[in-house]
Amino acid sequence: MCPPTHFKVTYSINPWMDPTKPVDVPLALAQWEDLVGRYRALGHTVELLDPRPGLPDMVFAANGATVVDGRVLGARFAHPEREGEAAAHLEWFRAHGYAEVHEPVHVNEGEGDFAVTASYVLAGRGFRASPLSHGEAQEWFGRPVIGLDLVDPRFYHLDTALAVLDDEADAVMYYPGAFSAGSRAALRKLFPDALIASEADAVAFGLNAVSDGRNVVLPQGAVGLFGVLRGRGFVPVGMDLGELLKGGGSVKCCTLELR
C-alpha cells in the first residue's frame, strides 16, 4: 500500500475523476490509515511503498503489479500521467527480495486488470489493458488466463466490476452489466454460484473489495452487499474511502496483494 501523501485530482483519465472538485488530502490520508489499521487488526501484514511527488495516483497501489506464487508481473500504464509508477513498484519488489520480476511488453494495470482465483487469472480488457497482455500473463504465471470484455466506461478496470471472495474456492462476486454478453456467459459457466451485485452496489464501488476468504473489506456505501455476503458466510467490513473515490478508486485499488 502507498499513502496518499501527494494525492490530488488534476487530470481526468476515468469517469470518476473531476479536477474541479477539491480533494481534502488530510481526510484522504485519515481514511487510508483507517484501512491500513483495519487490515492489521484482521491479522494481515501491510508493506508500505514510499509515495513520490508528481505521481498523485500512487495511492492506488493495486495497479502497480500482479503477484502470483512470488512471481511479479509489472505494470505498463495506458496513460502517460501514471507511467512513472511502474518503475517505483518494480524497484520496491527488487529491493524486497523478489527474484522473478517481469517488465511487461504490453499494457496492463496490475490488479486493476487481473484477478486471481484458485483456477484462473481473470483478465479485463476494453478500456485499459491490451488484449496482448493476457497471453503475456499466461506465459509468465503458467496459469489459464480468461479474457473478459468490459463495456461500461464507469467500470474501466476489472477490479471495479468483479471481486474474488475466496481464491481457494473460485468464489467471486460481479456486476453483469459491466461485461459484454459473451463475457457474462463465460462468467456464468465458470462461476455458477457467484454472488451477483446490483448496479447500485457496483456504482458505490462495492466490488472494489478485498477478501481474505472470510472478511470482505469493501466500501460502506455498498449496502446491498452486506446481507448477501453474510448469507454466504462472509463477514463484511465497511470502510469510508470517499475522498479516494474522487480519483476513481476504493479498497481494492489501494491494495496490492502479495501472493
Side-chain angles (χ1 to χ4, degrees):
M1 298 181 71
C2 180
T5 308
H6 307 292
F7 178 63
K8 54 186 176 180
V9 179
T10 58
Y11 50 79
S12 180
I13 58 174
N14 68 59
W16 305 94
M17 301 178 81
D18 183 352
T20 66
K21 293 182 178 179
V23 170
D24 185 333
V25 175
L27 178 56
L29 183 58
Q31 292 174 345
W32 178 87
E33 289 175 341
D34 192 26
L35 178 61
V36 173
R38 187 60 57 92
Y39 283 143
R40 288 174 172 157
L42 291 172
H44 302 298
T45 300
V46 178
E47 303 283 356
L48 298 180
L49 175 68
D50 291 333
R52 299 189 181 185
L55 296 173
D57 285 338
M58 275 189 73
V59 63
F60 301 128
N63 300 146
T66 306
V67 186
V68 181
D69 300 327
R71 294 172 65 85
V72 181
L73 175 62
R76 181 176 293 273
F77 287 88
H79 295 285
E81 292 89 347
R82 300 195 67 182
E83 284 178 355
E85 297 176 43
H89 281 273
L90 291 180
E91 288 173 18
W92 187 93
F93 283 108
R94 289 175 174 137
H96 286 77
Y98 288 80
E100 297 181 286
V101 178
H102 177 67
E103 295 188 40
V105 175
H106 304 292
V107 170
N108 84 77
E109 297 193 344
E111 290 190 324
D113 291 315
F114 294 123
V116 181
T117 76
S119 302
Y120 314 105
V121 176
L122 306 178
R125 62 190 175 213
F127 296 103
R128 297 291 181 88
S130 164
L132 297 175
S133 70
H134 298 182
E136 189 173 19
Q138 183 165 277
E139 287 300 311
W140 181 244
F141 293 130
R143 292 196 181 196
V145 173
I146 307 296
L148 299 170
D149 289 301
L150 297 164
V151 296
D152 186 329
R154 296 175 298 174
F155 309 105
Y156 57 93
H157 271 156
L158 182 63
D159 71 355
T160 66
L162 179 147
V164 178
L165 293 173
D166 188 340
D167 59 11
E168 295 182 359
D170 280 340
V172 304
M173 61 179 179
Y174 66 94
Y175 168 54
F179 297 95
S180 68
S183 294
R184 290 196 300 272
L187 286 167
R188 286 194 297 271
K189 289 180 180 179
L190 292 171
F191 308 105
D193 297 322
L195 190 160
I196 303 301
S198 68
E199 180 178 14
D201 288 326
V203 170
F205 265 56
L207 297 166
N208 198 242
V210 173
S211 174
D212 60 14
R214 174 170 172 76
N215 303 288
V216 182
V217 186
L218 75 166
Q220 64 183 19
V223 293
L225 290 175
F226 283 67
V228 289
L229 284 168
R230 291 190 188 99
R232 298 287 185 100
F234 295 99
V235 178
V237 180
M239 304 297 301
D240 179 7
L241 293 178
E243 283 304 297
L244 294 170
L245 186 57
K246 293 177 180 178
S250 191
V251 174
K252 177 56 192 171
C253 288
C254 292
T255 314
L256 172 58
E257 296 175 62
L258 303 176
R259 301 179 185 83

